[in-house]
Every structure is written in structure tokens, then in C-alpha cells.
Amino acid sequence: MKNFDCTIPTRIIFGEDGEKRVGELVKEYGFHKVLIHYGGGSVKRSGLLELVENSLKEAGIQYVELGGVQANPVLSLVREGIELCRKEQVDLILAVGGGSVLDSSKAIGDGGGNPESDVWNFFIGKDVPKGHIPVAAILTLSASGSEMSQSAVLTNEETGLKRGFNSPTHQPLFSICNPKLTYTVSKFQTGCGTVDIMMHTLERYFGWSKDSAITDRIAEGLLKAVIEAGRVADQNPEDYEARATLMWAGSLSHNGLTGLGREFLMQVHQLEHELSGMYPRIAHGAGLSALWASWARYVCPVWPERFAQYAVRVWNVEMDFENPLATALAGISATEEFFRSLGMPISLEELEAEPERFEEMAEKCTNFGKRTLAGIRKLDKQEMIEIYQLAYPRR
Ligand code: NZQ
Ligand code: ZN
């Protein structure tokens, strides 16, 4: 097990009706003025926004609102939010939505706490925030894990660059997680979420470390539970236990727990961010689903035993001791079949990505020639292009 440094300070209020406590919670922390940040309208349709407004009013908390966060959130709305926070002297940002709303809120918090800096510079590694406006959340979609993570992912729509930025300033103060709020999530977004939750653990599982038995077992247990719950939620969106499993797994899968003591490099996420950065209509989970198996087949010959362990323990594939690579490949195919069974794409062709743009995507992924992607197999630009090409044909 590698050394690690672990703090997960987000308070999680998990279960039914938690959202009704939001006013009381904001008051408990002593905040005065809240920016309620939300997306394209699902929280209006469900009545959640009105409930939040009433809860804040009852607690005597003032608020302003900014909606319109799009899936794969963009810099221009973040700038608008920063300006609003400054004008209205907001002291807490309340994200009501999925990962996109959370990440947009985190970026507004960075910008709002650093009036002298350009918020995009944080996302391209040119500056670090010295202060921030804190963020709290009411989660409506189980997927990104942003409700308990230090990450935020933002797209600069002028350049098409989608960049992730990790910072302690992004750790939400508290997140209200009521599985019932996810009953209205579409079949497609439920599938995307199931894939993303699995990916956050798989990316850690396939990082280097000689040994990490406890982390392996936590990761494998989480994956098995998510596969089962993903199947059930796909068929019955109002199954509370399945929705609850996905919601809690989403938080655990990206708060660091399932990778403690292992290297964590997220190659597939880096490849995917270039895809949904270039094509913002592509949902993050769908991009991951289309790329993962091709990435896995490409890198698994460097460590077939690890992929074979995954196949045996998570997918109950029988171990072929003469040929661990065959076992490894069977586990990858089982994963791909599962994604397919949820209606997720397993090729870039299904997502209508254009092969003639793979070179540009790989160039962006190298940060314009400044990096290779570290991982169990290091990837340079040509190798990234090869993975995009392998992922292209419809299967
Ligand atoms: O905008 P509204 O109308 O709310 O609709 C959303 C959106 O269209 C809808 N939705 C959300 N909750 C719903 C609902 N529809 C019905 N009922 C509900 N209860 O779902 C759609 C997708 O929402 P979005 O927030 O974009 O999805 P997700 O949570 O998957 O977030 C995706 C973003 O998170 C980033 C991704 O790159 C992408 O930009 N990620 C963030 C991470 C992090 N901060 O830690 C890690 C991830 O790896 C990921 O990269
Ligand atoms: Zn993800």
C-alpha cells in the first residue's frame, strides 16, 4: 500500500426529506445570503426549487438565484455567477442539481473569493485560489461524486477546452443526498451515472500499486453493488434501495476512498474530457462508456493479472491460469456488455464523433505537446489517437 493523506470533510445528510432541512442547516452555519444555482429546469419541474426557497425563507435566509447551468458547464455562466455574488454579497453558494451545477458552483466560489484573479487561470494551472465562497449542495443525480469531491470540471466554450481542477476549496461544506430526488432522472442519465460511478473506482483500481488488499476489496464490493443497483434502477426508476445504493456509491467512488494507497491518474477521464469538451452534447458518462473498453484492451497486456483479478472478483469470470490475458479480456467484454445492456454507447461512432478530429483531441489532451498521460501504460499523443480509433467502430 502506498502512503496516503486523507481528509473527507463534507457533511453528508443522507436519506428521505433531507432537502426540507436546508434553511435550518444554512442558518446553523451562520450564513446570511445564498446564491441558489441550478440547471436547465428539472428542479423547477419537480418542485424542489420552490421547496428550497420556502425552507430558506422560513429560516430567515436571503437568497438570489442563477439557473441555466448546462450539462458540461461553461465559463461564461460562471463569470455571470461571480459578478452576481460580488454585487449581492453572497456568502454561500447552494448547488441544486447534478455534477454540472455543483462544478459551476465550485468555480463561482473560486472566482467569488478571488476578485483579483481570472477564474479560468485556476483551471489551466496558472494560479491557485487564496480564498473562496463555500459551496453546499442538494444533489439530484447520482454520477459525478462532486458532492463529496475536491474536483470541478469546466469548459471554456471559446476554446473548447474542458479542464478539471482539484482544490480543497471545492470540498462542499455539506451535501443533502435524498435518493428520492433521483427518481425523475431519465433512463439514459441513470445509465450515464452508473457508468461514471463505476469509472471513478475503476480508474483508481487500474492505477499502479503492488498491494492494497483493503482498498481492492472496498472497490470490488462497490462495483458489484453498483452493477446490481444500476440494473434495478434501469428497470424500476423508483426503487428506493437501488437509487440509494447508486447515490451513496457515487459519493464514495470519487471521494478518494476506493483508491487509497494506489496511484490515481484517470487516463480515460482525460481522454473523455477532450471528447465532451469538443462535443458538449456528449454526456460525460456516455463518453466514458464509449471509450473504456478500448482503453482497457489497449493497456491490459502490460498488467493482465490485474485485469484478470477484476474479471474474476467482479464479474465471476473463471480464472484461466494458463492464459490470464484471456481472463482479463473476458472481464473487459463483460463490462462492455453491461454498459450496452443499460443502453449506453460502446463506440465513438454511436456518438457521432468525427475520426478526422481525433488528432486535435489528442493534441489537446497532451496540453499542446506539454504532457503524456501517466498510467499503467504511459500514453503519448499517437497512442491516444490509436485508442480513439480503436473505440470508433460500432460493435
Ligand atoms: O439541467 P437540468 O434541467 O437540471 O437537467 C439535468 C441535465 O440535463 C438532468 N437532471 C439532473 N437531475 C435530474 C435531472 N433530470 C431529471 N431529474 C433529476 N433529478 O440530468 C442532466 C445531466 O446533468 P449533469 O449535472 O450534467 O450530470 P452529471 O451529474 O453526470 O454531471 C456531469 C458533469 O460533471 C463532470 C462531467 O465532466 C460533466 O461536466 N464531472 C465532475 C466531476 C467532479 N466534479 O468530481 C467528476 C466527474 O468525473 C465528471 O468529470
Ligand atoms: Zn467521471
Side-chain angles (χ1 to χ4, degrees):
M1 196 186 297
K2 286 177 175 288
N3 296 354
F4 63 82
D5 175 343
C6 167
T7 320
I8 312 171
T10 299
R11 176 175 172 191
I12 297 287
I13 290 118
F14 194 91
E16 289 187 53
D17 293 334
E19 66 279 9
K20 294 183 182 160
R21 292 176 52 198
V22 67
E24 163 210 325
L25 284 159
V26 171
K27 195 171 172 178
E28 179 188 319
Y29 285 89
F31 295 111
H32 299 290
K33 188 138 192 194
V34 171
L35 169 65
I36 305 176
H37 198 33
Y38 60 93
S42 70
V43 297
K44 281 191 175 167
R45 288 190 295 278
S46 66
L48 178 60
L49 185 63
E50 198 184 339
L51 187 148
V52 170
E53 291 165 350
N54 288 336
S55 178
L56 291 177
K57 274 184 213 153
E58 276 166 30
I61 308 286
Q62 291 183 291
Y63 61 83
V64 286
E65 295 184 355
L66 179 65
V69 179
Q70 63 190 64
N72 299 320
V74 293
L75 181 58
S76 54
L77 191 73
V78 165
R79 292 200 195 287
E80 214 180 296
I82 294 169
E83 185 51 33
L84 187 60
C85 286
R86 192 193 55 73
K87 203 172 106 216
E88 298 285 342
Q89 303 204 315
V90 162
D91 56 6
L92 177 74
I93 302 167
L94 180 66
V96 186
S100 294
V101 174
L102 261 140
D103 289 2
S104 184
S105 301
K106 291 175 177 184
I108 293 172
D110 286 336
N114 297 273
E116 309 302 320
S117 308
D118 179 359
V119 66
W120 184 244
N121 281 340
F122 302 139
F123 283 79
I124 53 173
K126 279 196 178 163
D127 197 357
V128 284
K130 289 162 200 74
H132 71 293
I133 303 175
V135 171
I138 301 179
L139 185 67
T140 65
L141 198 165
S142 311
S144 69
S146 188
E147 69 280 6
M148 213 177 180
S149 83
Q150 294 199 348
S151 321
V153 188
L154 187 65
T155 298
N156 180 334
E157 65 270 51
E158 280 173 17
T159 58
L161 276 187
K162 184 176 187 183
R163 288 291 174 264
F165 164 47
N166 288 3
S167 164
T169 60
H170 293 163
Q171 194 78 49
L173 206 54
F174 64 83
S175 290
I176 295 174
C177 302
N178 174 358
K180 282 195 168 174
L181 297 180
T182 67
Y183 283 2
T184 50
V185 174
S186 67
K187 211 174 170 64
F188 173 70
Q189 285 295 342
T190 301
C192 288
T194 303
V195 171
D196 196 22
I197 295 167
M198 288 178 68
M199 281 307 129
H200 295 152
T201 286
L202 286 173
E203 296 260 40
R204 291 168 165 93
Y205 194 84
F206 293 112
W208 276 125
S209 172
K210 219 161 71 80
D211 210 0
S212 57
I214 179 71
T215 294
D216 281 6
R217 295 293 184 179
I218 290 171
E220 291 151 2
L222 181 141
L223 288 165
K224 287 178 90 112
V226 170
I227 291 162
E228 270 174 44
R231 280 195 182 114
V232 174
D234 178 62
Q235 293 305 310
N236 181 5
E238 301 201 0
D239 186 299
Y240 184 83
E241 284 308 316
R243 289 295 194 183
T245 297
L246 290 177
M247 194 166 236
W248 185 221
S251 304
L252 295 180
S253 199
H254 202 33
N255 71 4
L257 176 74
T258 61
L260 293 179
R262 307 193 63 78
E263 211 162 61
F264 171 46
L265 297 155
M266 294 203 102
Q267 283 186 335
V268 190
H269 269 70
Q270 305 291 332
L271 293 169
E272 194 295 313
H273 284 164
E274 301 313 333
L275 184 67
S276 51
M278 186 169 288
Y279 303 100
R281 63 178 162 76
I282 295 181
H284 171 61
L288 293 170
S289 171
L291 286 168
W292 185 79
S294 299
W295 167 86
R297 290 188 183 106
Y298 194 81
V299 304
C300 86
V302 301
W303 202 7
E305 298 76 13
R306 183 74 182 163
F307 281 86
Q309 176 178 308
Y310 163 68
V312 171
R313 292 192 187 171
V314 176
W315 292 103
N316 305 320
V317 174
E318 203 174 321
M319 181 69 199
D320 183 342
F321 290 96
E322 302 292 312
N323 188 358
L325 185 60
T327 313
L329 291 171
I332 295 169
S333 294
T335 313
E336 197 171 46
E337 284 306 307
F338 174 62
F339 293 166
R340 171 55 87 211
S341 76
L342 297 179
M344 287 290 102
I346 54 168
S347 71
L348 293 179
E349 192 181 357
E350 289 163 78
L351 291 172
E352 296 179 3
E354 301 145 292
E356 58 277 20
R357 300 193 74 181
F358 291 166
E359 204 260 329
E360 186 189 342
M361 269 158 45
E363 175 67 7
K364 285 179 169 171
C365 203
T366 65
N367 272 343
F368 304 96
K370 289 200 208 78
R371 68 166 184 184
T372 51
L373 285 185
I376 55 173
R377 173 170 172 180
K378 195 168 67 178
L379 301 175
D380 64 19
K381 180 177 164 184
Q382 187 50 40
E383 291 164 319
M384 294 174 203
I385 295 173
E386 282 168 26
I387 293 174
Y388 286 133
Q389 285 169 339
L390 273 175
Y392 184 74
R394 203 177 278 266
R395 281 177 276 275

